[in-house]
Amino acid sequence: MCNWTVLPGSQVAVQRNFSGATVVTLSCPEKLNALTPAMLHCLKATIAQDPSALMLFNGTGKAFCAGGNTSEFLKMGQVPIEETSGHLGFFRNIFEVCHMMGARSGNRVTIAHGVAAG
C-alpha cells in the first residue's frame, strides 16, 4: 500500500510506502528534471519534515536532474542580486537541499540515471 502526494505546481511527487521508506520523484522530464524554485521549496520541506529512516530520490524520463532550470533562472533577471528570491537565493536553495540531504540522519539513496547535475 502506497500513499502518493504530488505537490501542486512543484513537479515533485512524494510516496510513502508500507515499509516506511519515502520515495521522492522529480517529474519534469521535458526539462530533464531541472530544478525550479518551486521544486527546491518542496524538496527542502520534504527532507526537513520526513521522519522515515530511508529516502529514495529519483527522476522521471531519461535524466535524474540536469541541475538548475535555466529558463526559471533567466526569469529572475529583474530581481536585484541581494534579494534571497533572486539569483543568489536560487543557488542558495540548491546548496541547502544538497546539504540537507547529506546531513539528514538515516539512509539516503539516489537513483541517478542519464544526466545528473546539481
Side-chain angles (χ1 to χ4, degrees):
M1 174 168 221
C2 296
N3 180 18
W4 278 96
T5 305
V6 179
L7 302 157
S10 69
Q11 299 168 318
V12 174
V14 178
Q15 172 195 23
R16 291 177 180 87
N17 65 27
F18 65 91
S19 66
T22 296
V23 179
V24 179
T25 302
L26 304 178
S27 185
C28 187
E30 65 278 2
K31 294 280 189 174
L32 301 176
N33 299 316
L35 299 169
T36 65
M39 292 169 79
L40 289 167
H41 176 76
C42 173
L43 288 168
K44 284 172 68 173
T46 299
I47 294 166
Q49 298 170 8
D50 191 87
S52 66
L54 175 63
M55 291 187 84
L56 301 161
F57 296 87
N58 66 11
T60 59
K62 63 183 180 179
F64 167 63
C65 178
N69 186 321
T70 55
S71 299
E72 292 290 322
F73 186 75
L74 292 174
K75 290 179 190 175
M76 296 178 207
Q78 286 73 17
V79 179
I81 194 78
E82 301 83 29
E83 304 237 355
T84 58
S85 60
H87 298 94
L88 186 59
F90 185 73
F91 287 111
R92 180 179 293 129
N93 284 328
I94 289 175
F95 290 122
E96 285 178 0
V97 166
C98 292
H99 174 75
M100 290 172 74
M101 287 173 65
R104 184 181 184 282
S105 63
N107 298 307
R108 294 147 320 273
V109 176
T110 300
I111 304 166
H113 59 284
V115 177

